[in-house]
Amino acid sequence: MTILHTITCTKFLPAFNACETFTRYLTRNRILTEKGIERLFSKGCPEYEASKGVCVTRVETAIYIR
């Protein structure tokens, strides 16, 4: 079973007094919670380097069974 998480994130940019919205993708063999995904982004994971101040605003999960 493969699980694809499509994650919409926002990050506040104090220099511009604005928020940046972007999408990241994670493939795992288990379902992750929003807090778990935020921890991955703040500590770093194999796909993405650590980034402080990232807020997860939306998570879409797709499950693929082989």
Side-chain angles (χ1 to χ4, degrees), residues 13-52:
L13 304 171
F16 301 105
N17 197 22
C19 288
E20 173 189 16
T21 302
F22 52 93
T23 303
R24 291 183 172 174
Y25 302 94
L26 289 176
T27 303
R28 295 289 189 267
N29 58 0
R30 62 186 176 93
I31 295 175
L32 299 172
T33 63
E34 284 185 26
K35 287 187 178 189
I37 292 168
E38 284 181 0
R39 272 188 250 126
L40 273 178
F41 290 157
S42 63
K43 292 181 179 180
C45 60
E47 294 89 353
Y48 302 103
E49 61 186 51
S51 180
K52 300 284 183 196

